Amino acid sequence: MKKDKLAELSKWFKIFFLATAIIVVYKTFDNIGNILGWFGFLLSLLTPFFIGFVLAFFLNRPVGFLQKKFSCCKVRIVQRISKFLSIFIVYVIFLALLGIILGSLLPMLISSISDFVGHLPEYISAIKENIQRLEEANPNLAELGIFEMINDISGDKIIAMMNIFDMENIKKYLDGVMSVSNALLNSLIGFIVSIYMILEKDMLLGFVKRVCRLFMNERKFETAKSYVQKSNFIIFRYFLGQFCDSLLISICASIILMVLNVPYGIVLGFLFGMFNLIPYFGPIIMGVVVVLITFLSSGFFTALWAAILLL
C-alpha cells in the first residue's frame, strides 16, 4: 500500500517538475531580452577580471623565469624580494613596449586615416575611370551597368554625408567616448588584478585545489592537474608563436609596402601582420584591403606586385 502511495506521489512530483520546467523555459524565452541584458551586465562586471587573468597568464612565465634567476643571486635582499622585483621588471618592460607601440603607431594610424579620407574623391574618380575603360574595351561589361551604379557616388558626397553624420549623432559620439573611458578603466583594473593574481598565485592555486578535491579523489585530481598543466604549456606556446609570426609578417609587409612606395605602408603592413592572429580569414580579409588601397593610391601594377609579394 505504501509502495503504491509512493509511486503515486513520485508520479505527481514528476508532473510538477515537468510543468515547472515548461513554465521556466517559456518565461525564459518570453523575457529573453531582459535575461540577455542581465548576462551582458554580468559580463561587463567580470571584464576587468578576465583582462587581469589573460595578462597574468601571459606575464606569469617571464615573471617566474626572472624569479628563479634572482633566487640564485648571492645577495640576500635580492633573494627576499625576488618575486616583487621580477613582477616590477616584467610590468615595466610590458608598459614600455605598449607605450612605444601606441605612441608610434596610433598617431600614424590617425594621420593615415585622415589622409585617406582627404584623398577619397581622387580614389572614387580613379575607380570610375578604370571601370569606364574596362567597359569601353569590353562592350559586354557595359550591359552589367556597373558604371551607372557608381556614377552617382562621389568623394565629396561621401564626405558631406560623414559631416552630416557628425552633426546629427553627437550623442553617439559621446556614447563612444564613454565606451572608450570604460574600456580604459576596465584595462586599468585588469592590470591591477593581474598583478594581484601573480603575487598571490600560490594562494589562489591552493584554493582551487581545495575546491577540486571536494568533488574528486586524489587520482582523478592528479590526472586533471596534469592535463591542465599540459594545456597551459600548449596554449601559451601557441599564442607566443602566433604573436611572433604576426610580428615578423608585420615587419616584412611594412618593408615591402615601403619599398613599393605605397602610402600608409607602415600602418598597412602592421595591420596585415596583426590580422594573422585571426585564423584563416584574417590574412585574406586584410590582404584584400591592402591590395585595394594600394590599387587606389598607386595603380594597378603596384597593387599586383604588392599582392604577389605579400602572398
Side-chain angles (χ1 to χ4, degrees):
M1 196 70 178
K2 288 183 179 180
K3 289 183 179 179
D4 293 338
K5 286 183 178 180
L6 287 173
E8 185 73 16
L9 191 62
S10 175
K11 184 179 77 172
W12 283 108
F13 267 119
K14 288 178 182 177
I15 294 171
F16 172 75
F17 284 125
L18 178 62
T20 304
I22 291 171
I23 293 170
V24 169
V25 171
Y26 169 74
K27 285 297 182 181
T28 300
F29 283 102
D30 193 40
N31 298 279
I32 190 70
N34 295 331
I35 293 171
L36 290 177
W38 184 82
F39 273 112
F41 175 72
L42 182 63
L43 288 175
S44 67
L45 290 178
L46 295 176
T47 298
F49 297 97
F50 177 74
I51 294 172
F53 176 79
V54 171
L55 282 175
F57 177 80
F58 287 107
L59 297 180
N60 178 57
R61 284 182 176 269
V63 167
F65 173 79
L66 285 180
Q67 188 178 356
K68 287 181 181 178
K69 296 296 182 184
F70 287 133
S71 298
C72 298
C73 182
K74 295 180 179 179
V75 182
R76 287 189 178 181
I77 190 170
V78 174
Q79 292 179 357
R80 290 177 183 174
I81 62 169
S82 59
K83 193 168 190 176
F84 297 98
L85 192 59
S86 303
I87 291 173
F88 177 77
I89 292 173
V90 168
Y91 273 83
V92 165
I93 294 173
F94 172 74
L95 288 175
L97 291 174
L98 190 64
I100 291 170
I101 292 171
L102 292 178
S104 58
L105 283 176
L106 199 59
M108 198 181 299
L109 181 62
I110 295 170
S111 173
S112 298
I113 291 172
S114 71
D115 190 37
F116 180 77
V117 171
H119 288 84
L120 201 56
E122 299 174 18
Y123 297 151
I124 298 293
S125 300
I127 292 174
K128 288 182 179 180
E129 290 175 7
N130 285 315
I131 292 176
Q132 193 170 15
R133 286 174 192 167
L134 285 172
E135 288 187 342
E136 289 173 357
N138 302 280
N140 293 329
L141 289 176
E143 298 176 2
L144 299 175
I146 299 174
F147 183 73
E148 287 76 8
M149 288 172 60
I150 68 163
N151 193 35
D152 293 331
I153 301 175
S154 68
D156 296 329
K157 288 182 179 179
I158 293 173
I159 292 173
M161 289 171 63
M162 291 172 68
N163 290 333
I164 292 171
F165 178 82
D166 290 343
M167 294 299 295
E168 293 180 352
N169 294 276
I170 295 174
K171 184 178 181 300
K172 290 184 179 179
Y173 280 96
L174 292 175
D175 291 340
V177 171
M178 289 298 296
S179 298
V180 171
S181 302
N182 289 333
L184 290 174
L185 182 61
N186 286 335
S187 300
L188 178 61
I189 296 172
F191 184 81
I192 296 169
V193 168
S194 68
I195 296 175
Y196 173 78
M197 284 183 173
I198 295 177
L199 272 173
E200 302 296 337
K201 181 181 71 172
D202 295 334
M203 185 268 289
L204 293 172
L205 289 176
F207 172 75
V208 172
K209 287 178 184 177
R210 287 194 296 273
V211 172
C212 290
R213 280 174 174 160
L214 294 174
F215 301 97
M216 59 182 71
N217 57 36
E218 190 65 27
R219 184 176 63 83
K220 290 181 179 179
F221 173 77
E222 290 299 327
T223 303
K225 180 181 174 182
S226 103
Y227 277 118
V228 169
Q229 288 174 341
K230 287 178 183 177
S231 301
N232 178 32
F233 177 78
I234 291 169
I235 292 170
F236 179 82
R237 294 297 293 269
Y238 170 77
F239 280 107
L240 180 63
Q242 284 289 95
F243 177 75
C244 292
D245 173 64
S246 298
L247 186 62
L248 181 62
I249 292 175
S250 293
I251 295 170
C252 293
S254 298
I255 293 172
I256 287 170
L257 296 175
M258 286 174 64
V259 169
L260 292 173
N261 289 320
V262 176
Y264 340 114
I266 295 176
V267 174
L268 291 175
F270 176 79
L271 293 175
F272 177 76
M274 288 299 109
F275 263 69
N276 277 267
L277 290 170
I278 304 172
Y280 305 112
F281 298 105
I284 297 172
I285 293 170
M286 199 60 208
V288 170
V289 171
V290 169
V291 172
L292 180 61
I293 292 175
T294 304
F295 171 71
L296 292 173
S297 59
S298 303
F300 174 77
F301 288 105
T302 305
L304 180 63
W305 273 111
I308 293 170
L309 293 174
L310 290 176
L311 182 63

